[in-house]
């Protein structure tokens, strides 16, 4: 029987990063993955393939709607080749997962393909093409999450689908109904909207992106409506029925009236739930919460001291980069170091266009906590760079402490917001004030000038509005 210092169950961003850091720190490491490719949801059926389709569909939309204005004339009809688009997406996935294979070999990490199941706290049975047992001094559970549904919805994975199926459709929907106005629903909704589908979003809460700053929700709602999305908030879905190639969704609006939506595809994107199936955690004495997540303490240690858990399977935001930070955190804890994660400074991003990005506290959270704050906001359309690229929608908003000027939250909608948010994370990690950021030189013309201007605006000194 092979013996390891640490075994990681699950090879998503949390799991494979934990494995690499453990190996770097001199531990004999194994990683267990039930699928034939490494990388978990993120690399195979999540972050990476969805961004590939978002990029491809964005190019198509630019060609159809904006090239002429730029002085680019394309003779004949511009057509979508969905088969090629999906094939390109898959090649991006294959290259990326292949990169993880390389990293495992480079770091001398043993890879086991099969379902990892606890026999006891130090032994794991791996059931794949054959059954293997290994011994691990420590184990990290990194089994991730799966798409959630509603109890009355039957997912047939043909017409009533999750994000996994939406990434490999054989045709462009005529009318895609998206249940859930969160990150995944809006991103995939935008992919198919660009390609010609009619898209209707049905959201239970009173706004899209309900967990983000309300100013962001309002701005993106306005932009998506301009893009001809049909957005229905405060709608409680009560039935989803497929009849042949048609899907009928019934919901109650905020007045309690029944509303019917008819489309040819329904994307159910109502969040995700922790995935622990087959782990047999009971055998290792690992406790789960009422909601099925693995219970952990501040060291990410489970109820069994030599077993840790990270990523989507535990509490907190279900984000690949949060999982990675936790993977490094546990590896360094096992090595006797004293790592730290500030969960307030893990950014959240929506890869629609314009992009949405956020870090720190929202206005709602600051009001609820009774914090005195000030707001500096700057519109993207006031930037020369935005006019040059015709990306005029959105803004950057900085929330700062009224007395100390420390930055408490940064929220943005706009071109390249996903990349720009890193500046806000760095500033907040070093407890910068709005004035600190406003006094740093920002290259001109760039989108990041909006951050400088918002910081100036927090002290009533914006230059370009």
């Amino acid at each position: 029987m092979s013996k390891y210092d640490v075994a990681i169950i699950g090879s998503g961003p949390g799991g494979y990063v934990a494995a690499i850091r453990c190996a770097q720190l001199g531990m004999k490491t194994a990683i267990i993955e039930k699928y034939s490719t490494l990388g978990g949801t993120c690399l195979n059926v999540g972050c990476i393939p969805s961004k590939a389709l978002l990029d491809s569909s964005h190019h198509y939309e630019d060609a159809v709607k904006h090239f002429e204005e730029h002085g680019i004339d394309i003779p004949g009809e511009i057509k979508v080749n969905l088969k090629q688009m999906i094939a390109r997406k898959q090649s991006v996935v294959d290259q990326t997962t292949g990169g993880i294979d390389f990293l495992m070999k480079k770091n001398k990490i043993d890879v086991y393909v099969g379902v990892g199941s606890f026999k006891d706290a130090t032994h794991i049975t791996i059931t794949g093409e054959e059954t293997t047992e290994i011994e691990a001094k420590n184990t990290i559970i990194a089994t991730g999450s799966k798409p959630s549904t509603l109890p009355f919805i039957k997912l047939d994975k043909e017409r009533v689908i999750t994000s996994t199926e939406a990434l490999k459709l054989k045709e462009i929907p005529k009318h895609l109904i998206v249940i859930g106005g969160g990150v995944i629903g809006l991103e995939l909704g935008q992919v198919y909207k660009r390609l010609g589908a009619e898209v209707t979003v049905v959201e239970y809460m009173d706004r899209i992106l309900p967990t983000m700053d309300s100013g962001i929700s309002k701005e993106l709602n306005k932009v998506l409506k301009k893009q001809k999305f049909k957005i229905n908030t405060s709608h409680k879905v009560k039935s989803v029925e497929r009849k042949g190639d048609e899907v009928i969704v019934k919901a109650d609006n905020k007045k309690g009236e029944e509303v019917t939506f008819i489309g040819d595809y329904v994307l159910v994107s109502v969040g995700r739930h922790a995935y622990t199936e087959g782990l047999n955690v009971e055998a290792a004495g690992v406790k789960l919460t009422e909601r099925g997540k693995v219970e952990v303490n501040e060291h990410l240690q489970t109820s069994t001291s030599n077993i840790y858990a990270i990523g989507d399977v535990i509490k907190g935001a279900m984000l690949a980069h949060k999982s990675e930070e936790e993977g490094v955190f546990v590896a360094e804890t096992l090595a006797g170091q004293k790592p730290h994660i500030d969960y307030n400074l893990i950014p959240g991003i929506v890869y629609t266009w314009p992009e949405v990005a956020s870090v720190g506290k929202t206005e709602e959270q600051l009001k609820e906590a009774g914090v005195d704050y000030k707001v500096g906001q700057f519109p993207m359309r006031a930037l020369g760079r935005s006019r040059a690229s015709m990306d005029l929608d959105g803004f950057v908003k900085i929330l700062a402490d009224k007395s100390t000027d420390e930055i408490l939250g940064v929220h943005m909608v706009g071109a390249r917001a996903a990349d720009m948010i890193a500046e806000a994370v760095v500033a907040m990690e070093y407890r910068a004030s709005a004035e600190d950021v406003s006094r740093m030189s920002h290259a001109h013309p760039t989108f990041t000038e909006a951050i400088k201007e918002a910081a100036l605006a927090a002290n009533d000194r914006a230059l370009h509005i």
Side-chain angles (χ1 to χ4, degrees):
M1 184 190 300
S2 298
K3 295 183 180 182
Y4 295 92
D5 295 316
V6 63
I8 294 110
I9 306 176
S11 72
Y16 84 73
V17 166
I20 293 170
R21 189 70 187 116
C22 285
Q24 285 177 342
L25 291 164
M27 294 173 229
K28 189 183 179 192
T29 307
I31 194 162
I32 302 159
E33 172 55 58
K34 75 176 207 174
Y35 293 111
S36 57
T37 54
L38 300 176
T41 293
C42 177
L43 273 64
N44 289 278
V45 290
C47 332
I48 300 301
S50 61
K51 301 315 154 282
L53 288 182
L54 278 159
D55 276 338
S56 294
S57 61
H58 197 167
H59 286 311
Y60 171 73
E61 185 177 54
D62 275 346
V64 171
K65 293 184 178 174
H66 305 134
F67 275 12
E68 204 175 318
E69 199 169 340
H70 283 284
I72 304 166
D73 292 332
I74 300 175
E77 190 186 350
I78 301 167
K79 291 180 180 174
V80 177
N81 180 343
L82 186 62
K83 190 179 176 185
Q84 170 56 24
M85 205 175 272
I86 301 285
R88 187 194 84 90
K89 173 222 63 170
Q90 193 54 47
S91 75
V92 171
V93 169
D94 294 345
Q95 287 167 43
T96 312
T97 57
I100 308 304
D101 291 338
F102 164 76
L103 290 171
M104 295 302 104
K105 289 188 184 88
K106 179 191 169 192
N107 289 284
K108 298 181 173 55
I109 296 160
D110 289 347
V111 177
Y112 291 89
V113 179
V115 175
S117 180
F118 287 105
K119 186 177 178 185
D120 56 40
T122 54
H123 294 85
I124 300 165
T125 304
I126 302 156
T127 311
E129 283 183 8
E130 50 189 60
T131 302
T132 317
E133 191 178 309
I134 63 169
E135 186 178 316
K137 186 178 167 188
N138 297 288
T139 299
I140 303 172
I141 299 169
T143 47
S145 62
K146 291 278 183 190
S148 294
T149 183
L150 297 171
F152 53 84
I153 295 179
K154 184 182 182 297
L155 293 168
D156 64 15
K157 301 190 177 184
E158 292 172 358
R159 296 278 169 183
V160 184
I161 61 175
T162 69
S163 54
T164 303
E165 294 77 47
L167 293 166
K168 52 184 181 187
L169 290 181
K170 301 271 194 297
E171 62 177 1
I172 298 160
K174 293 180 189 69
H175 182 193
L176 175 66
I177 300 167
V178 180
I179 300 175
V183 179
I184 297 165
L186 295 180
E187 287 181 0
L188 290 171
Q190 196 171 56
V191 166
Y192 288 107
K193 183 81 192 79
R194 290 167 176 165
L195 300 181
E198 184 186 333
V199 176
T200 298
V201 177
V202 186
E203 168 57 48
Y204 176 71
M205 301 297 279
D206 62 355
R207 58 188 175 97
I208 58 170
L209 303 179
T211 60
M212 296 186 97
D213 188 274
S214 62
I216 277 180
S217 299
K218 194 175 173 185
E219 180 72 6
L220 190 65
N221 195 73
K222 185 177 81 183
V223 172
L224 293 178
K225 282 190 169 175
K226 204 161 67 178
Q227 293 174 7
K228 302 286 190 290
F229 271 71
K230 289 177 180 164
I231 296 173
N232 304 271
T233 52
S234 301
H235 276 59
K236 184 183 179 182
V237 173
K238 57 185 187 181
S239 74
V240 175
E241 187 190 356
R242 178 180 172 179
K243 287 186 176 175
D245 289 346
E246 205 170 67
V247 189
I248 300 145
V249 176
K250 289 185 177 174
D252 288 335
N253 66 17
K254 62 181 170 189
K255 293 177 185 169
E257 301 158 341
E258 185 175 276
V259 186
T260 302
F261 305 95
I262 299 170
D264 54 340
Y265 286 88
V266 169
L267 169 60
V268 181
S269 56
V270 293
R272 300 178 65 85
H273 63 272
Y275 184 75
T276 57
E277 204 175 298
L279 266 180
N280 194 27
V281 290
E282 305 81 11
V286 172
K287 286 182 187 163
L288 302 181
T289 67
E290 283 174 22
R291 301 193 69 181
K293 291 176 179 275
V294 178
E295 208 171 90
V296 291
N297 63 16
E298 70 275 18
H299 303 295
L300 304 182
Q301 203 170 22
T302 69
S303 49
T304 302
S305 63
N306 67 314
I307 299 174
Y308 295 75
I310 61 172
D312 289 6
V313 83
I314 65 167
K315 63 189 176 185
M318 291 187 171
L319 297 168
H321 44 287
K322 174 219 179 225
S323 305
E324 289 185 13
E325 296 304 325
E326 290 175 337
V328 170
F329 178 95
V330 171
E332 293 179 352
T333 299
L334 290 173
Q337 297 181 13
K338 302 250 181 288
H340 171 71
I341 298 173
D342 185 344
Y343 284 98
N344 182 48
L345 298 185
I346 291 178
I349 296 168
V350 189
Y351 293 86
T352 48
W353 197 264
E355 292 174 336
V356 175
S358 180
V359 67
K361 301 299 183 194
T362 65
E363 284 204 57
E364 292 71 32
Q365 288 168 332
L366 292 176
K367 281 173 187 162
E368 198 179 317
V371 176
D372 271 348
Y373 68 94
K374 54 190 177 180
V375 182
Q377 189 163 313
F378 189 81
M380 300 304 281
R381 64 178 54 248
L383 294 177
R385 183 71 185 84
S386 294
R387 287 191 290 276
S389 69
M390 294 168 56
D391 292 305
L392 300 174
D393 292 314
F395 59 78
V396 172
K397 175 164 77 171
I398 290 180
L399 309 175
D401 187 282
K402 205 163 198 172
S403 57
T404 67
D405 198 39
E406 182 180 349
I407 297 170
L408 304 174
V410 180
H411 308 280
M412 52 181 85
V413 180
R416 301 292 164 215
D419 301 307
M420 293 200 297
I421 199 66
E423 177 179 339
V425 177
V426 171
M428 290 174 72
E429 277 284 3
Y430 287 92
R431 310 229 14 207
S433 65
E435 178 154 359
D436 288 333
V437 171
S438 72
R439 291 192 177 277
M440 293 173 192
S441 176
H442 287 64
H444 174 77
T446 59
F447 294 119
T448 59
E449 287 177 283
I451 299 174
K452 179 186 174 97
E453 288 280 0
L456 283 165
N459 290 303
D460 299 319
R461 284 169 36 213
L463 295 167
H464 288 91
I465 43 169

